[in-house]
Amino acid sequence: MKRIYLDHNATAGKLRPACRELWLEVAEEGGNPSSLHGRGRRARQRIDEARERVAAALKVHEDEITFTSGATEANNLALFGTLRTAGEGRGLVTTAAEHSSVLAAARALAREGARLHVLGIDADGQADPEELRSTLEHVAPSLVSIQAANNEVGTLPQLERFAEVIAGRVPFHTDAVQALGRVPVELSRWGVDLASFSGHKIGAPPGVGILWKRQGVQIAPLFFGGGQEKDLRPGTENVPGIAATALALELAVAECEAFREETASLARWLWREIEQGFPAARLIGPAFDRGPRLPNTLAVAFPDHDGKVLLTRLDLEGLELSAGSACASGSLEASHVLLAMGFDEKRARAALRFSLGRDTSREDCNRVIAILKKVFAHSHAT
């Protein structure tokens, strides 16, 4: 039985072949990039080359790139690092739609005494720039953090509108993990000062994240040790993973437009088939004809069904999906994003996320519909 993987927002379905080859090549070279002998210098060169490739693809300066263990660390470094330089009266503004690695860090900062304001979101998952404007008038935050793309429902906030409101008064961070390779990453147009990225979402091995920090923005490290990554992220670097991530990012950026067109067409077709075949199904997030959305992401509620039960039944038939964020999929709690969008717990638990990848085909989508029909026919029969 051929299995269909539509959980690419959790992680890419498979490594890019070129990244796998490069990872193995660099791993076999070995060497600690802090060592001064030949092997160490070669490892250092690999990191320097990776930093140059990432900077060129993102159209930024290489000194603005910091490699981390993943996007969770990059998000934490952006939030904690910025607020730790702010001193007394520090504060943070974020949104209710953020990934848990931002919201959990924000709550931890609040427990440490930082003022926290969480912007609400509407039924499309969008926060309101005017609420941010009002918040800035009454709260003096040290950082604003708003995601570039929502991992659960595919909402694309218009970051430039929030940047206009912020007007350079405080640093502006974005979790851009889901945007990378799926929509153009335009850091300058977005008006942000910090941005987080992940390697494994775009076909690199797990274990590498990237924090872009605009020159002049001050942040403090989370860890202390050997001084690697200009003292912002000490510890022996994951040289093979960094090299493979740089290549994956380069390829993802180059392929972005083709990916966007292909997956948007497939996702639209998939929703039409679901809508026709399952009249009770409801699209979650922005409609295809209203507002920007991630091209590869389709969140659907199936009322009167439990999403996790459906996931199990679909998995037994060879279809691999998610019921929301992979980081929270083991939890019994309903999605915080859907709750913030106005769903009650029962409706929030009825949601499934279909996230398409580079290799998703029309044949795969046809198979998805066939599996859904089989599972729902069985569920009604029982």
Side-chain angles (χ1 to χ4, degrees):
M1 175 178 64
K2 179 186 176 183
R3 297 189 66 81
I4 308 298
Y5 181 81
L6 291 188
D7 199 16
H8 291 269
N9 285 8
T11 192
K14 58 184 179 181
L15 296 181
R16 292 176 179 267
C19 294
R20 182 189 299 110
E21 293 173 12
L22 180 59
W23 188 95
L24 290 171
E25 177 185 327
V26 177
E28 289 173 357
E29 290 174 357
N32 186 321
S34 295
S35 298
L36 298 179
H37 50 61
R39 188 169 297 192
R41 293 196 304 274
R42 177 56 179 155
R44 172 57 54 195
Q45 182 181 359
R46 288 289 196 180
I47 294 177
D48 292 343
E49 291 171 351
R51 204 182 312 276
E52 290 172 1
R53 295 176 85 159
V54 168
L58 296 178
K59 299 179 181 178
V60 298
H61 195 278
E62 62 194 69
D63 287 343
E64 299 174 329
I65 299 298
T66 299
F67 293 114
T68 69
S69 66
T72 290
E73 184 186 344
N75 283 334
N76 275 258
L77 180 55
L79 271 62
F80 277 90
T82 302
L83 266 67
R84 284 178 177 173
T85 65
E88 294 295 326
R90 57 190 183 153
L92 170 66
V93 177
T94 188
T95 83
E98 302 300 312
H99 188 269
S100 58
S101 61
V102 169
L103 284 176
R107 295 188 192 106
L109 283 161
R111 289 193 294 272
E112 292 183 2
R115 298 185 316 279
L116 172 62
H117 183 87
V118 179
L119 303 175
I121 55 175
D122 64 17
D124 284 346
Q126 291 279 12
D128 184 358
E130 291 308 311
E131 183 184 353
L132 176 61
R133 188 186 305 279
S134 175
T135 301
L136 292 178
E137 290 175 357
H138 297 92
V139 179
S142 311
L143 178 71
V144 174
S145 181
I146 299 175
Q147 63 191 181
N150 183 266
N151 57 306
E152 293 194 34
V153 301
T155 305
L156 293 176
Q158 294 179 288
L159 294 179
E160 58 272 25
R161 294 181 61 199
F162 293 96
E164 289 174 4
V165 171
I166 296 168
R169 285 178 282 180
V170 296
F172 184 14
H173 165 256
T174 187
D175 174 353
V177 167
Q178 297 294 340
L180 182 60
R182 295 165 183 174
V183 295
V185 172
E186 301 174 294
L187 298 172
S188 178
R189 183 178 67 82
W190 288 351
V192 296
D193 303 291
L194 303 108
S196 305
F197 303 97
S198 173
H200 74 94
K201 307 287 189 183
I202 53 174
V208 176
I210 297 167
L211 178 64
W212 168 76
K213 178 180 70 69
R214 188 188 302 280
Q215 288 180 328
V217 174
Q218 298 299 313
I219 63 174
L222 300 180
F223 313 123
F224 301 89
Q228 292 90 342
E229 294 298 294
K230 296 186 178 179
D231 287 327
L232 278 181
R233 206 280 171 179
T236 301
E237 299 95 334
N238 177 0
V239 184
I242 288 171
T245 294
L247 176 57
L249 188 147
E250 195 175 56
L251 293 171
V253 170
E255 298 165 358
C256 177
E257 189 57 37
F259 176 90
R260 182 166 59 166
E261 290 181 5
E262 292 167 8
T263 58
S265 175
L266 285 176
R268 186 184 291 270
W269 180 89
L270 187 59
W271 167 239
R272 283 201 302 264
E273 293 296 308
I274 292 174
E275 188 177 28
Q276 292 172 10
F278 310 90
R282 295 292 179 265
L283 180 67
I284 304 173
F288 282 94
D289 59 354
R290 183 182 73 249
R293 56 179 293 124
L294 271 180
N296 75 315
T297 303
L298 181 64
V300 180
F302 293 92
D304 300 321
H305 291 83
D306 185 282
K308 287 184 171 57
V309 173
L310 282 178
L311 283 182
T312 301
R313 292 177 175 174
L314 293 169
D315 186 43
L316 291 173
E317 295 296 330
L319 175 56
E320 297 174 336
L321 302 176
S322 172
S325 170
C327 296
S329 62
S331 169
L332 295 177
E333 297 179 1
S335 160
H336 69 275
V337 175
L338 298 188
L339 294 176
M341 290 170 64
F343 283 59
D344 59 33
E345 289 221 5
K346 183 178 179 180
R347 289 175 63 220
R349 294 178 192 277
L352 296 180
R353 181 185 70 186
F354 304 75
S355 51
L356 286 60
R358 301 187 312 276
D359 299 324
T360 304
S361 66
R362 177 62 66 87
E363 179 184 352
D364 292 334
C365 292
N366 281 324
R367 178 70 180 140
V368 167
I369 298 301
I371 291 173
L372 286 171
K373 288 180 177 178
K374 180 177 180 181
V375 166
F376 276 95
H378 176 75
S379 108
H380 290 313
T382 56

